[in-house]
Amino acid sequence: MDRATTIELPPVVHDNDPKALAAEILSCLTYRVGKDSSVATQYDWLTAAIKVVRDRIIERWIASTKESYEKKQKRVYYLSMEFLIGRLMRDAFSNLGLMENMREALQSLGVDIDMIAGLEPDAALGNGGLGRLAACFMESMASVDLAAHGYGIRYVHGLFRQEIQDGWQVELPETWLDHGNPWEFERRERSFEIGFGGTVESITSKDGRLERHVWKPQEHVLAVAYDTPVVGWQGRRVNTLRLWSAMAVDPILLAAFNAGDHIGALKEANQAASLTRVLYPADSHQAGQELRLRQEYFFSAASLQDILERHLSQYGELHSLPDKAAIHLNDTHPAIAIAELMRLLMDVHGLDFDMSWDITKRTFAYTNHTLLPEALESWPIPVFERLLPRHMQIIYAINAEVLLEARSYQRYSDEQISRISLINEGAERRVRMGNLAFAGSHSVNGVSGLHTELMKETVFSDLHNLYPGRINNKTNGITPRRWLMQCNPGLTSLIREAIGDRFLDDTEALSELNRFADDAAFREKFASVKRENKNRLSNYVAERLSLRVDPSAMFDVQIKRIHEYKRQLLNIIEAVALYDQIRSHPEKDWMPRVKFFAGKAAPSYNTAKLIIKLANDVARVINRDPAVRGLLKIVFVPNYSVSVAEIMVPAADLSEQISTAGLEASGTGNMKFALNGAITIGTLDGANVEISECVGEDNIVIFGLTAEEVERNKRDGYVPRAAIEKSPELAQALSAISSGVFSPDDPGRYRDLINGIYERDWFMVAADFDAYADAQRRVDDIWRNAPDWYAKAIRNTANMAWFSSDRTIREYARDIWEVHTGEVPPKSN
Ligand code: 26W
């Protein structure tokens, strides 16, 4: 099928001169925002500034789309429940090289670009690592010139806003759309009906043969597309992030309304809209509610209809789908797409099971992001069957196929077969989404070397045995545009001064910085950039928390979701032990530190919320004790978000990456810190292992049990009480916390939390405590020698290029998607 030919626009030449930009902003304010400059609010200026730059993006967007179509390029479809994008304005201005001119243009209109940039809502359509990775990948796919579409959900309320009241986390709704969203395009015409519930009819031919199944859903909801352009570095390519919003098929039941039932008339509309109203705030814990499964199916099904329609309109048939489309599953959240594609191929397009299964497997790939058993998704069969009856049948058919294949090898015990099965036959029968994703994909990848090996040995060992070669590693990455160039302009210009501009295009060039590690003058400059960033964070903390911190102290930072396995508790206990040591030995040469924490706890995760309270309780006592004034401070920064990370990461001297080994799949915060010249204190977990290899063992502080040792400990019956008894410092700190030293208002507040360490210590806090405390004193020793510290810090920045998400994406493109990416661009001027 051919497209209609484009009616060419008369060539629009955009003048990017500040004067011309200012005129355009003013005209936009008038004609598109509908405001006069005398009454325009800062939000109006923000909208106008964004729309002026958006115009420049649209042309490239259309050109990119057209090019992919004309060259019949294979497209990547990245399906993710979460996209933690953060603010977009700086990203777009800087990728298009318009930052300075826009600054000037706005200034001439009396508008401060930094002020309006701070007003842009931080789109928090994600929980943590997985969502932020999806956002970095979107930016990198555009930057390496790869034709890609992101597909997700347009949540009205992203991740909750966190307030700290009396030390406790309080969750408030987040309303990022309050002032509209100038980036998005609503595509009402791009809408699809999504069914739920109902029955399945079998259609037989005259001779009684089963011809096909027809699913007759009981309810329908409309999925409406909202598109956001994603600009790559230097505006090379613009891809689309398409987020689906739910709407009722019948916005109002007029008959009911006319009969006087005004509320009933809107029931369907309200119910439909509630589907995409909120993001589930639990990471690493399966929500288990029906609404979550509905969300998963809703966006997977809408995306698949969209993908198939695009493919059919260009190629007219579906056998070529795997050659022209790579569909990627960001964790199992969209794994239902596998059953949906099978349904569409068989029930709608009339292909047989074998052909459909072959196409499906060649089209899909799946990334696993966690091995925590409580995070592995599975759905009770009764819920699944009621909501998606046809998909249930298809999953049984896929399972039969997989189990038949497994049995044919005659090497598997019944137990192994039951672990391979897509159905968990426990007390409550459930569909295992991980096994479905594994079986229906040609590639299954982990997100760091260690995590990938553990996948092979643990959750997926039987499936790995059945399909060897399917599991592969793709170590995560971060986009250097946001996580160096935008968040750390001071360091960026220092690096440009030292080694030129090539690293902006080709991150690998950062390694040229190595030779400056021993250059005393450069080290001083590096230190003064860090100092500036620390001043910025200090001001932020002073303004929001009325807390003074000394920017010459070491900034020790742990920011991430609050979770027991990430061991914020280990860090807090060590702070208590250090506090005790400083008080008992005031004569010693203590290195001044400020310990920063930030992070949200899942609203239903009581232990994590208690850990936040503990951090605040300990902070209150330590911060007001004159005995440690100037030596130790604790700060909990509320409402952690991408924007807060952009302030905290460049200001960190020490990066805390201290998860129990074997439990953090990769981590990406670890990469952001090291790239910005922080030294890591960390366990051999996730990507810390590879960071250590890249920056060198001398430039990172590693401590604690290895994943293997943790396993062995657990197997051999680890006794935490014995470990505590061997460590007087730990015993003392635990007893202080447990007895209420930090919670005089409620002395028993932490008794159970601390008892948990004595009795179970699932996360090996006691086992690693001494090693951690020793490592912290080694950190102090390095800090004591400033030139040595900054030499190490510089070597971190210099050797982190490999962790660019451009590298990660090129590996996905080559090994998994088999799509073409652009070459490393030539040196820019
Ligand atoms: C079903 C509930 C749920 C929701 C989200 C379970 C699990 C998740 C995610 C998989 C949690 C997550 O964000 N995992 C993180 O993914 C990052 C990107 O690969 C890794 O760097 C982190 O180590 C991993 O914890």
Side-chain angles (χ1 to χ4, degrees):
M1 214 188 292
D2 269 335
R3 284 188 167 187
T5 43
T6 308
I7 305 167
E8 294 294 337
L9 260 175
V12 185
V13 185
H14 284 295
D15 191 344
N16 290 335
D17 173 81
K19 269 212 189 86
L21 284 170
E24 251 186 86
I25 294 169
L26 204 55
S27 133
C28 180
L29 185 76
T30 313
Y31 296 108
R32 291 160 79 188
V33 182
K35 285 277 182 85
D36 177 82
S37 63
S38 64
V39 294
T41 65
Q42 295 289 316
Y43 278 104
D44 296 327
W45 287 113
L46 174 70
T47 305
I50 289 175
K51 288 206 164 155
V52 163
V53 172
R54 201 185 70 171
D55 286 348
R56 285 150 175 79
I57 296 173
I58 291 174
E59 287 152 21
R60 295 167 198 240
W61 197 11
I62 294 172
S64 299
T65 311
K66 228 170 160 186
E67 187 190 352
S68 314
Y69 180 85
E70 281 164 5
K71 292 190 176 162
K72 298 196 158 87
Q73 284 171 339
K74 183 171 182 179
R75 297 183 181 92
V76 171
Y77 296 106
Y78 198 82
L79 270 57
S80 179
M81 272 302 250
E82 306 189 6
F83 287 92
L84 191 45
I85 2 198
R87 294 176 173 143
L88 280 178
M89 191 176 90
R90 275 183 203 283
D91 214 40
F93 287 11
S94 139
N95 276 1
L96 290 173
L98 289 175
M99 187 66 89
E100 284 322 305
N101 289 7
M102 280 300 281
R103 180 184 297 279
E104 232 180 274
L106 285 162
Q107 201 169 22
S108 73
L109 297 164
V111 179
D112 176 9
I113 195 171
D114 298 319
M115 153 75 198
I116 60 168
L119 290 180
E120 188 184 3
D122 180 316
L125 310 186
N127 273 288
L130 164 135
R132 184 54 233 175
L133 185 75
C136 282
F137 278 8
M138 285 305 296
E139 199 270 358
S140 273
M141 289 192 282
S143 293
V144 307
D145 198 9
L146 192 158
H149 297 246
Y151 279 114
I153 295 177
R154 183 180 178 273
Y155 302 103
V156 174
H157 303 290
L159 188 60
F160 65 85
R161 193 156 59 78
Q162 178 194 56
E163 261 185 24
I164 301 297
Q165 292 177 9
D166 186 29
W168 294 98
Q169 165 174 297
V170 173
E171 302 96 26
L172 298 163
E174 181 276 351
T175 54
W176 70 296
L177 293 169
D178 267 2
H179 296 269
N181 175 5
W183 289 110
E184 70 186 5
F185 291 84
E186 185 183 347
R187 309 281 192 206
R188 280 283 174 125
E189 78 290 358
R190 208 63 197 164
S191 63
F192 296 98
E193 278 195 15
I194 310 298
F196 292 100
T199 53
V200 179
E201 278 178 22
S202 314
I203 305 211
T204 44
S205 62
K206 282 200 194 98
D207 55 357
R209 270 184 333 131
L210 180 72
E211 269 193 341
R212 55 168 88 174
H213 293 276
V214 179
W215 177 27
K216 297 264 164 78
Q218 191 197 350
E219 317 161 39
H220 283 98
V221 171
L222 216 52
V224 180
Y226 285 74
D227 288 351
T228 299
V230 180
V231 195
W233 174 234
Q234 296 202 330
R236 191 171 299 122
R237 178 179 190 93
V238 180
N239 282 329
T240 306
L241 173 60
R242 175 160 285 184
L243 302 179
W244 300 103
S245 182
M247 246 180 75
V249 178
D250 295 317
I252 182 162
L253 303 176
L254 219 47
F257 188 86
N258 291 340
D261 181 6
H262 301 156
I263 293 175
L266 293 171
K267 208 169 132 221
E268 266 186 27
N270 291 333
Q271 239 167 20
S274 71
L275 193 52
T276 50
R277 184 93 69 189
V278 269
L279 163 77
Y280 270 93
D283 79 322
S284 329
H285 207 282
Q286 121 120 345
Q289 281 93 339
E290 182 180 318
L291 181 63
R292 165 87 183 189
L293 180 56
R294 282 181 183 258
Q295 288 185 334
E296 295 186 354
Y297 178 65
F298 168 81
F299 100 97
S300 302
S303 308
L304 271 186
Q305 288 191 52
D306 199 34
I307 294 166
L308 289 201
E309 201 173 290
R310 186 175 299 112
H311 185 86
L312 281 171
S313 82
Q314 186 164 13
Y315 302 102
E317 53 82 52
L318 288 170
H319 291 88
S320 58
L321 186 70
D323 305 321
K324 296 295 171 191
I327 307 183
H328 204 90
L329 304 175
N330 197 24
D331 216 282
T332 55
H333 317 156
I336 186 64
I338 289 172
E340 174 70 359
L341 179 59
M342 288 294 286
R343 184 185 74 83
L344 294 171
L345 293 176
M346 295 192 298
D347 299 358
V348 178
H349 298 279
L351 273 56
D352 67 13
F353 179 92
D354 290 344
M355 178 59 74
S356 303
W357 189 226
D358 178 65
I359 292 175
T360 298
K361 281 189 292 187
R362 289 196 291 127
T363 304
F364 279 101
Y366 152 58
T367 300
N368 170 278
H369 295 268
T370 179
L371 301 174
L372 297 183
E374 67 270 27
L376 299 178
E377 286 190 297
S378 69
W379 295 103
I381 299 245
V383 176
F384 207 103
E385 212 155 35
R386 176 164 48 76
L387 217 57
L388 301 166
R390 177 59 182 141
H391 299 79
M392 193 65 247
Q393 292 179 340
I394 290 170
I395 287 171
Y396 282 135
I398 294 172
N399 200 34
E401 173 84 11
V402 171
L403 295 185
L404 191 70
E405 188 178 348
R407 288 207 178 92
S408 75
Y409 296 116
Q410 297 185 354
R411 62 170 188 257
Y412 296 113
S413 64
D414 286 350
E415 224 171 88
Q416 281 171 305
I417 293 283
S418 76
R419 285 197 299 259
I420 288 170
S421 175
L422 308 198
I423 310 296
N424 183 348
E425 308 278 357
E428 184 190 40
R429 299 179 72 230
R430 303 175 79 99
V431 187
R432 291 178 173 139
M433 300 307 271
N435 292 30
L436 171 64
F438 197 116
S441 299
H442 63 277
S443 163
V444 175
N445 75 283
V447 290
S448 74
L450 174 64
H451 167 233
T452 301
E453 287 315 302
L454 292 174
M455 274 171 74
K456 293 180 190 166
E457 288 164 19
T458 61
V459 267
F460 292 126
S461 72
D462 301 293
L463 279 160
H464 172 55
N465 188 288
L466 181 60
Y467 304 116
R470 195 170 290 188
I471 295 185
N472 64 93
N473 178 244
K474 296 288 167 280
T475 299
N476 283 166
I478 54 171
T479 165
R481 268 75 62 185
R482 182 178 294 260
W483 297 110
L484 176 62
M485 289 145 77
Q486 279 161 51
C487 73
N488 203 341
L491 183 56
T492 304
S493 38
L494 177 63
I495 301 173
R496 291 173 73 174
E497 241 174 69
I499 63 171
D501 286 356
R502 196 163 68 90
F503 77 99
L504 300 174
D505 292 332
D506 176 8
T507 318
E508 291 295 332
L510 273 180
S511 65
E512 291 169 31
L513 266 189
N514 273 308
R515 65 191 156 92
F516 290 88
D518 297 317
D519 175 334
F522 185 82
R523 278 197 307 246
E524 301 250 319
K525 289 188 200 159
F526 195 92
S528 82
V529 166
K530 185 60 86 182
R531 180 58 184 262
E532 273 302 303
N533 294 332
K534 288 165 78 174
N535 285 339
R536 180 161 64 131
L537 174 57
S538 306
N539 293 338
Y540 182 87
V541 165
E543 269 170 36
R544 321 242 154 178
L545 306 174
S546 314
L547 233 160
R548 302 238 143 261
V549 294
D550 174 7
S552 69
M554 182 200 305
F555 278 16
D556 166 342
V557 184
Q558 186 172 22
I559 49 178
K560 48 182 83 243
R561 284 302 285 252
I562 311 294
H563 204 294
E564 287 163 281
Y565 85 81
K566 295 180 187 279
R567 298 201 293 191
Q568 283 91 356
L569 191 51
L570 175 60
N571 192 346
I572 299 168
I573 295 169
E574 203 277 328
V576 169
L578 176 62
Y579 172 55
D580 194 44
Q581 289 291 311
I582 300 176
R583 283 169 52 104
S584 325
H585 305 284
E587 73 290 353
K588 282 199 186 167
D589 177 24
W590 299 103
M591 293 288 101
R593 274 197 199 221
V594 184
K595 274 187 169 285
F596 289 92
F597 293 89
K600 293 176 180 175
S604 61
Y605 190 169
N606 292 325
T607 305
K609 292 173 109 171
L610 190 60
I611 291 171
I612 293 179
K613 173 65 174 163
L614 176 62
N616 284 300
D617 273 349
V618 169
R620 188 175 25 88
V621 172
I622 292 182
N623 295 353
R624 51 157 97 119
D625 186 341
V628 297
R629 179 155 308 144
L631 293 178
L632 184 60
K633 257 214 171 131
I634 314 260
V635 183
F636 189 96
V637 178
N639 201 30
Y640 184 55
S641 62
V642 172
S643 303
V644 170
E646 287 167 356
I647 298 171
M648 298 188 76
V649 167
D653 294 306
L654 185 67
S655 153
E656 298 268 356
Q657 308 300 335
I658 59 176
S659 51
T660 314
L663 298 184
E664 188 69 89
S666 161
T668 45
N670 47 2
M671 302 170 188
K672 292 162 198 165
F673 283 105
L675 181 62
N676 284 276
I679 294 179
T680 304
I681 180 167
T683 46
L684 281 177
D685 198 14
N688 293 355
V689 178
E690 287 138 295
I691 292 177
S692 167
E693 283 162 7
C694 285
V695 305
E697 284 176 15
D698 293 343
N699 303 308
I700 186 167
V701 179
I702 296 290
F703 73 93
L705 298 174
T706 62
E708 226 171 282
E709 289 164 345
V710 167
E711 243 345 275
R712 199 176 319 135
N713 256 358
K714 285 191 181 156
R715 223 181 23 237
D716 299 353
Y718 158 65
V719 185
R721 197 171 289 275
I724 298 168
E725 276 160 15
K726 270 195 265 166
S727 171
E729 281 189 30
L730 171 61
Q732 173 78 21
L734 292 180
S735 121
I737 297 171
S738 182
S739 65
V741 169
F742 301 96
S743 52
D745 55 323
D746 176 11
R749 181 176 295 142
Y750 301 112
R751 201 173 309 126
D752 291 350
L753 184 69
I754 301 301
N755 274 347
I757 299 183
Y758 272 94
E759 277 154 26
R760 297 171 292 275
D761 196 17
W762 274 315
F763 300 98
M764 302 275 150
V765 170
D768 270 341
F769 181 83
D770 280 353
Y772 179 57
D774 286 350
Q776 290 290 19
R777 300 298 74 80
R778 269 186 281 149
V779 169
D780 283 339
D781 289 339
I782 307 171
W783 183 255
R784 204 165 267 121
N785 179 346
D788 189 30
W789 180 278
Y790 288 106
K792 288 183 195 307
I794 293 165
R795 290 202 182 93
N796 269 271
T797 301
N799 295 300
M800 284 300 291
W802 189 74
F803 297 93
S804 162
S805 43
D806 296 354
R807 184 273 310 157
T808 314
I809 284 299
R810 286 183 202 281
E811 289 182 5
Y812 275 87
R814 183 192 64 201
D815 304 340
I816 301 178
W817 302 330
E818 300 184 15
V819 289
H820 175 78
T821 54
E823 299 307 312
V824 175
K827 190 179 178 309
S828 64
N829 324 301

